[in-house]
């Protein structure tokens, strides 16, 4: 990372497999940079406080709330936004199960589930429950989201029961 | 969006971080050490803090250690709560870490950040209080190692320019029988009405609390009351409640009277759980 001055930085980011260079305020969040510098508006501003999960992206395959990360922290990290996913199992399952109503929270849910699939490809019911608690759907499409996630994973509980 | 600018530094050594702090402090820039940064970002967005500079500690190797060394567990201050739970070197600490915020947030929140935070709850500190953890602290006078009880009294009390590098836990503590309860008003995510962490050690129960008062604490007087086997459990709990170090919290999660009710039940749950083990 090179510095123009101490509170502005030129940062090279790896976003959806492409190298992008941005000049940002040190105090700028990654959410703002992705949307306003790079035009990646799939990550949604919701609470801007780390509560709702609408801005979730993947950073080195881990779900991260982009409102809780400074852009300057993302130097050298692999960033994936919803625009970087193309016809994944998670996207297909959400579409087939109509796991949304207004759709505002959907990119965040999908990125979280994509991260779960990458980190725990055989996640059990408890792991799914814990991970999905990171996102809020104001339209309360939780049943449909749950069905979509069920379709993605071959899920078994510790007792061997299907999800 | 954070409504003001600050400078950002990411030193790669402890000495660089300490020197930077000193330099920035002398320039009047109100520097803050930065690890996960979740609380700094959210407070700055609300304009309730205005640091002129942040010093990101995540590039310092010592702050990222997670290892057993001889008879001691070493946890770097920048280890995230989710990494800590995943590795699970200290099950009680894993449980406490898993109760903080939500899974995605825990990918960013660090152990050092949780302990150092300004939010009331800071539940990751409870297992460290119970296990008499030692804190490795860096400052202008070098590195010092001290008991958590010397530097954590209601909140972390470090000298200006100091930061936590690591936490050390003796091996003897990490596999003790434990109980952990986090009781919320509703649901699985959010701040607690009562959080209680407890060990059983040498036939005695040792407890620590969050959500009860405006700070996390461990109290010798409370433990003495709970371990007084000459009394029935209800009387022990009544006696313990009389030793709370501050008024019960009164906020949106619950009134003092409701908190007291939940606390009594949680104390009973902890005693029953540990007496069975």
């Amino acid at each position: 990372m090179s510095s123009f001055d101490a509170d502005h930085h030129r940062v090279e980011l790896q976003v959806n497999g492409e190298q992008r260079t941005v000049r940002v305020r040190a105090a700028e969040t990654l959410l703002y940079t992705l949307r306003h510098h790079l035009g990646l508006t799939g990550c949604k501003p919701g609470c801007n406080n780390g509560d709702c999960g609408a801005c979730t992206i993947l950073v080195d395959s881990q779900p991260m709330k982009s409102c809780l990360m400074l852009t300057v922290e993302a130097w050298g990290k692999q960033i994936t936004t919803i625009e970087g996913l193309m016809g994944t199992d998670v996207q297909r399952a959400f579409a087939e199960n109509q796991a949304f109503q207004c759709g505002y929270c959907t990119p965040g849910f999908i990125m979280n589930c994509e991260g779960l699939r990458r980190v725990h490809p055989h996640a059990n019911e408890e792991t799914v429950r814990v991970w999905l608690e990171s996102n809020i759907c104001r339209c309360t499409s939780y049943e449909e989201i749950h069905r979509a996630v069920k379709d993605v994973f071959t899920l078994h509980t510790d007792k061997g029961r299907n999800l | 969006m954070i409504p003001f600018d600050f400078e950002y530094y990411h030193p790669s050594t402890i000495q660089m971080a300490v020197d930077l702090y000193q330099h920035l402090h002398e320039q009047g820039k109100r520097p803050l050490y930065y690890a996960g940064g979740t609380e700094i970002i959210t407070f700055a967005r609300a304009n309730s803090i205005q640091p002129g500079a942040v010093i990101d500690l995540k590039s310092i190797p010592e702050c990222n250690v997670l290892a057993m060394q001889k008879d001691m567990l070493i946890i770097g201050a920048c280890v995230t709560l989710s990494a800590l739970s995943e590795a699970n070197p200290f099950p009680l600490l894993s449980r406490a870490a898993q109760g903080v915020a939500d899974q995605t947030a825990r990918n960013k929140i660090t152990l050092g950040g949780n302990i150092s935070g300004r939010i009331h709850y800071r539940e990751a500190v409870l297992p460290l209080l119970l296990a008499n953890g030692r804190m490795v602290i860096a400052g202008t006078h070098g590195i010092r190692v001290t008991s958590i009880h010397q530097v954590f009294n209601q909140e972390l009390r470090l000298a200006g320019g100091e930061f936590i590098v690591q936490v050390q836990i003796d091996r003897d503590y990490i596999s003790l029988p434990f109980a952990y309860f986090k009781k919320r008003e509703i649901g699985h995510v959010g701040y607690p009405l009562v959080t209680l962490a407890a060990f059983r050690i040498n036939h005695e129960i040792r407890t620590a609390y969050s959500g009860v008062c405006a700070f996390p604490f461990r109290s010798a007087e409370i433990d003495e009351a709970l371990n007084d086997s000459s009394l029935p459990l209800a009387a022990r709990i009544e006696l313990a409640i009389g030793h709370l170090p501050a008024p019960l919290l009164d906020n949106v999660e619950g009134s003092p009277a409701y908190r007291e009710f939940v606390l009594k039940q949680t104390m009973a749950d902890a005693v029953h759980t540990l007496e069975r083990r």
Side-chain angles (χ1 to χ4, degrees):
Chain A
M1 174 170 36
S2 64
S3 187
F4 286 89
D5 48 59
D7 56 8
H8 285 78
H9 296 262
R10 187 170 67 195
V11 183
E12 291 181 3
L13 302 173
Q14 296 291 326
V15 185
N16 299 331
E18 293 180 13
Q19 184 164 321
R20 308 290 296 267
T21 303
V22 291
R23 182 180 186 276
V24 297
R25 298 164 56 229
E28 188 166 306
T29 61
L30 187 54
L31 171 63
Y32 188 91
T33 299
L34 291 170
R35 290 179 60 84
H36 296 279
H37 289 274
L38 301 179
L40 298 169
T41 55
C43 49
K44 301 300 185 194
C47 64
N48 276 310
N49 200 50
D51 296 321
C52 74
C55 66
T56 303
I57 57 169
L58 300 185
V59 177
D60 290 344
S61 290
Q62 288 272 3
M64 203 67 76
K65 296 180 180 184
S66 57
C67 71
L68 288 184
M69 187 170 194
L70 300 176
T71 305
V72 289
E73 288 182 86
W75 175 265
K77 311 279 189 195
Q78 295 290 331
I79 297 166
T80 308
T81 69
I82 190 77
E83 290 89 346
L85 302 185
M86 293 287 180
T88 64
D89 290 346
V90 177
Q91 289 171 299
R92 195 173 305 116
F94 270 69
E96 289 174 355
N97 286 280
Q98 298 188 25
F100 43 78
Q101 289 186 45
C102 82
Y104 196 81
C105 70
T106 307
F109 265 105
I110 288 177
M111 296 313 295
N112 191 16
C113 291
E114 184 66 27
L116 176 58
R117 195 189 61 76
R118 294 184 188 188
V119 176
H120 294 292
H122 304 292
N124 64 20
E125 185 170 359
E126 175 63 10
T127 304
V128 168
R129 183 189 68 76
V130 168
W131 279 57
L132 288 184
E133 284 170 355
S134 302
N135 294 68
I136 294 171
C137 171
R138 291 295 298 269
C139 311
T140 66
S141 285
Y142 295 109
E143 281 300 314
E144 293 82 359
I145 291 167
H146 191 254
R147 280 206 297 272
V149 177
K150 182 181 170 184
D151 279 1
V152 171
F153 291 91
T154 303
L155 283 170
H156 297 276
T157 66
D158 293 338
K159 294 176 182 173
R161 289 183 290 108
N162 287 330
L163 182 70
Chain B
M1 179 186 287
I2 295 172
F4 57 87
D5 285 328
F6 52 67
E7 298 176 7
Y8 173 83
Y9 299 92
H10 55 124
S12 55
T13 69
I14 292 171
Q15 192 60 49
M16 285 170 67
V18 169
D19 291 345
L20 258 173
Y21 187 99
Q22 188 71 18
H23 176 68
L24 293 164
H25 176 69
E26 285 169 3
Q27 291 185 326
K29 291 190 173 169
R30 307 175 310 281
L32 287 178
Y33 289 117
Y34 183 102
T38 56
E39 189 172 295
I40 291 176
I41 291 174
T42 52
F43 281 15
R45 185 184 60 79
N47 214 19
S48 58
I49 58 170
Q50 296 90 23
V54 300
I55 302 169
D56 190 340
L57 304 174
K58 292 195 290 292
S59 298
I60 298 173
E62 291 91 336
C63 294
N64 292 291
V65 170
L66 180 56
M68 281 302 295
Q69 291 178 5
K70 297 181 180 172
D71 285 331
M72 197 187 298
L73 173 63
I74 313 285
I75 309 171
C78 292
V79 173
T80 64
L81 297 186
S82 60
L84 200 48
S85 297
E86 191 77 18
N88 196 24
F90 179 13
L92 176 56
L93 183 56
S94 298
R95 282 288 299 277
Q98 277 182 307
V100 175
D102 59 58
Q103 174 65 30
T104 306
R106 291 192 291 272
N107 289 337
K108 192 81 178 358
I109 299 170
T110 62
L111 178 63
N114 186 257
I115 295 169
S116 309
R118 284 170 45 178
I119 294 172
H120 292 324
Y121 307 103
R122 292 164 280 162
E123 286 135 314
V125 80
L126 301 182
L128 308 181
L129 292 172
L130 293 176
N132 297 329
R134 285 184 298 278
M135 314 297 275
V136 179
I137 294 165
T140 49
H141 299 299
I143 303 282
R144 65 185 176 111
V145 181
T146 187
S147 165
I148 189 167
H149 304 298
Q150 296 296 314
V151 291
F152 193 94
N153 179 9
Q154 301 190 4
E155 62 184 1
L156 193 63
R157 296 172 189 271
L158 300 181
E162 286 189 325
F163 67 90
I164 306 171
V165 178
Q166 294 170 341
V167 173
Q168 302 174 344
I169 309 289
D170 287 341
R171 181 192 292 272
D172 292 346
Y173 286 105
I174 64 182
S175 54
L176 287 173
F178 71 88
Y180 188 83
F181 299 93
K182 179 167 182 170
K183 296 188 177 176
R184 301 177 178 86
E185 185 186 23
I186 192 169
H188 296 285
V189 175
Y191 296 134
L193 283 162
V194 170
T195 300
L196 191 163
F199 274 152
R200 196 187 69 202
I201 180 167
N202 299 330
H203 306 293
E204 294 211 330
I205 291 171
R206 189 181 286 182
T207 59
Y209 303 85
S210 171
V212 175
C213 302
F215 49 85
F217 66 90
R218 176 182 157 196
S219 159
E221 290 82 7
I222 287 177
D223 286 348
E224 191 177 338
L226 289 177
N227 284 293
D228 185 349
S229 56
S230 67
L231 297 171
L233 180 56
R236 286 146 62 186
I237 289 172
E238 282 297 336
L239 197 56
I241 294 281
H243 291 296
L244 289 177
L248 286 147
L249 262 182
D250 183 3
N251 60 17
V252 69
E253 269 76 45
S255 65
Y258 186 49
R259 273 201 156 84
E260 181 174 330
F261 169 76
V262 175
L263 174 60
K264 287 178 177 175
Q265 185 58 49
T266 310
M267 284 176 163
D269 292 344
V271 171
H272 287 313
T273 299
L274 289 174
E275 284 182 348
R276 279 200 303 267
R277 299 189 66 179

